[in-house]
Amino acid sequence: AHGARSMTHVYNGMTPFKHRDNGLVGAAYRLRTMYGEIICDGKHVNPAAIKALLQAKGWQHTVLITDCLGCGGMPEGSYTSGGMDVIMKDNLCWLADGKSIAGSVLTLAQGVKNIVDWGIASADIAIRMATEVPARSAHIEGKCGSIMPGRDADFVVFDHELTLVETYVGGQSVGNAFTE
């Protein structure tokens, strides 16, 4: 209410939402014009909680993010990220002590598919929450976030099952790193 425009990683590292102490989660719900970023891997946040956030904020202010560490796309094992030792196991990264989540290995394409597969939003809305909404949140909607003349020609192609088929950067195909 005092100028915050976006909330990072809604639910993660926050006190739980309670009926007498709403905390940051309650602020994310209540401040409808503030953007709420959500990690949609099904491990950081339960899909029911993602749906609750989307119902409270509306898709126009819900930003799909990944929190993907640099080891995303690599095989399970031990890595260093941000100077910290992490262990990637079961599609999630943990601090070396195994007690705290360090980050995800989620791709944004998989996050979009998750939102649709979980019945939280349609493919159209999920894609917009991963493109148009974050661009607006970051004040770069005049440059990216939708396919229009004069904007970056960065986009992906999905098949009918929302599997990533191809990625374009600057209008040029860079293939699909996850299938090639």
Side-chain angles (χ1 to χ4, degrees), residues 1-86:
H2 295 285
R5 298 215 3 103
S6 182
M7 188 173 290
T8 305
H9 301 193
V10 174
Y11 298 112
N12 296 112
M14 297 178 182
T15 56
F17 179 79
K18 297 178 184 175
H19 68 288
R20 288 194 183 105
D21 180 10
N22 300 162
L24 289 174
V25 174
Y29 285 179
R30 191 179 80 253
L31 301 172
R32 289 194 45 96
T33 60
M34 182 175 66
Y35 294 91
E37 298 177 353
I38 192 75
I39 303 167
C40 41
D41 62 359
K43 296 177 182 292
H44 279 76
V45 180
N46 183 287
I50 296 170
K51 186 172 185 174
L53 178 70
L54 185 60
Q55 288 173 333
K57 298 207 75 50
W59 69 265
Q60 300 88 341
H61 286 90
T62 304
V63 179
L64 300 187
I65 62 169
T66 68
D67 194 36
C68 186
L69 300 184
C71 54
M74 302 294 289
E76 287 190 351
S78 298
Y79 296 91
T80 301
S81 180
M84 297 184 298
D85 293 330
V86 298

Side-chain angles (χ1 to χ4, degrees), residues 92-105:
L92 194 62
C93 286
W94 298 87
L95 293 179
D97 66 9
K99 296 178 182 176
S100 299
I101 295 175
S104 83
V105 292

Side-chain angles (χ1 to χ4, degrees), residues 131 143-156:
T131 57
K143 181 177 176 171
C144 63
S146 59
I147 300 172
M148 295 179 67
R151 298 192 180 180
D152 293 347
D154 301 339
F155 61 94
V156 297

Side-chain angles (χ1 to χ4, degrees), residues 111-127:
V112 166
K113 184 171 176 21
N114 288 346
I115 292 296
V116 175
D117 288 350
W118 296 332
I120 295 173
S122 67
D124 174 61
I125 296 301
I127 290 168

